[in-house]
Amino acid sequence: MYRFFVQPQVNRFKQSIVGYETLIRESRNGRWMLPKDFSAISLACQLKLLCRCVDALHLKSHYLGFNLNRVQLQDPDVVQQLIEFQAKIHPVRLVVELTEEVCEDANDPACVLKQIKTLHDGGVQVSLDDVGTGENQLDRIECLLPYVSELKVALQNFRHDGNEIMIPEELHEWRRVSNAYHLRFLVEGVETPGDQSALDGLDIALRQGYYYGKPHLLFYRGELNDSSRMEKNA
């Protein structure tokens, strides 16, 4: 069984939730875990679950983030289904978060650009996730920037690599890029009061991370809100 966990995205200065990122999980042995095989989960199944998320969250004009890699993006049927789904859930805004995952078997930059243009023209927003890593290095995504809506920087990537000293410089550079193209700029991986204070000092409003809310399982109508089902490894 699959379900989406959701994590809030906030505007710190307006003290408001602006959207949610959806994170699919699989139930195995009574625990919610990362799926063994993401490719085994059909898009139809995921869109059905996304519909239930919209209903359960009582969303109006919020953003709803949905992760996609470059292999999935290059499938015209996937792109068309996402456009049709956006029309169905309007005025909620579907945001396709294009991951940094390196997909050597199927990575055609010209096709990626074409499909992002198609999503843009069809009313589906695109966010470039974990910019500065993997396939989302600036020299590889610069041609996409006129057709995307958001850039996301992940603080956890710097912590993992032991490069926390680079965070202010990287945030400054990616905010410069986002401003140049009039894009939303969101920082994820915000975990501590120190992270919050640093971002306050940099005047960065849009944020996501454990400090503002961990990913949590949505409960649909008729279900009991049993918090014990929220697993640490979700």
Side-chain angles (χ1 to χ4, degrees):
M1 179 173 68
Y2 301 106
R3 292 282 288 269
F4 275 117
F5 280 58
V6 296
Q7 186 173 30
Q9 299 171 330
V10 306
N11 184 316
R12 153 71 170 161
F13 303 129
K14 293 184 177 180
Q15 297 290 309
S16 63
I17 293 176
V18 298
Y20 295 86
E21 180 178 2
T22 59
L23 304 160
I24 199 159
R25 296 292 183 261
E26 180 180 7
S27 178
R28 298 199 304 271
N29 301 317
R31 292 172 63 86
W32 292 103
M33 304 179 181
L34 287 171
K36 289 184 177 179
D37 182 7
F38 283 92
S39 64
I41 312 171
S42 71
L43 181 61
C45 171
Q46 295 184 69
L47 294 183
K48 181 178 180 180
L49 292 173
L50 281 176
C51 266
R52 299 187 75 181
C53 287
V54 172
D55 181 61
L57 289 166
H58 305 291
L59 295 182
K60 294 184 179 179
S61 58
H62 291 72
Y63 299 109
L64 191 66
F66 174 70
N67 289 284
L68 212 66
N69 65 30
R70 279 165 169 75
V71 173
Q72 296 166 312
L73 177 69
Q74 291 175 75
D75 184 337
D77 184 57
V78 167
V79 169
Q80 185 57 39
Q81 287 186 63
L82 292 173
I83 291 171
E84 292 173 359
F85 181 75
Q86 171 60 81
K88 182 178 181 180
I89 65 170
H90 180 80
V92 176
R93 299 306 302 269
L94 179 66
V95 181
V96 170
E97 296 196 13
L98 184 62
T99 69
E100 76 286 359
E101 180 184 351
V102 176
C103 304
E104 297 178 357
D105 294 338
N107 185 14
D108 179 349
C111 183
V112 170
L113 175 58
K114 177 183 177 182
Q115 297 294 68
I116 285 181
K117 285 181 177 179
T118 301
L119 286 171
H120 175 270
D121 293 344
V124 178
Q125 297 193 6
V126 176
S127 171
L128 298 177
D129 198 16
D130 286 18
V131 290
T133 65
E135 289 292 347
N136 286 341
Q137 305 282 351
L138 182 57
D139 61 338
R140 301 182 190 180
I141 62 174
E142 200 156 13
C143 65
L144 309 178
L145 296 178
Y147 308 101
V148 305
S149 300
E150 179 181 83
L151 300 180
K152 292 182 74 174
V153 170
L155 298 183
Q156 62 267 30
N157 291 335
F158 297 96
R159 296 190 182 101
H160 182 267
D161 296 335
N163 293 323
E164 289 186 78
I165 194 172
M166 296 174 58
I167 289 176
E169 179 182 348
E170 289 291 314
L171 291 177
H172 176 78
E173 175 60 17
W174 284 109
R175 183 166 63 174
R176 181 193 66 79
V177 174
S178 67
N179 287 343
Y181 286 89
H182 307 288
L183 309 177
R184 291 192 305 276
F185 183 57
L186 190 148
V187 177
E188 59 181 332
V190 182
E191 298 179 352
T192 67
D195 290 341
Q196 173 164 267
S197 295
L199 294 176
D200 286 351
L202 293 170
D203 198 32
I204 296 172
L206 300 181
R207 308 176 191 179
Q208 178 182 339
Y210 281 16
Y211 191 74
Y212 303 107
K214 295 183 179 180
H216 62 276
L217 177 64
L218 283 180
F219 295 92
Y220 306 142
R221 293 176 183 175
E223 293 182 330
L224 293 176
N225 191 350
D226 179 4
S227 60
S228 67
R229 297 170 66 187
M230 295 170 54
E231 300 296 340
K232 291 182 180 180
N233 63 340

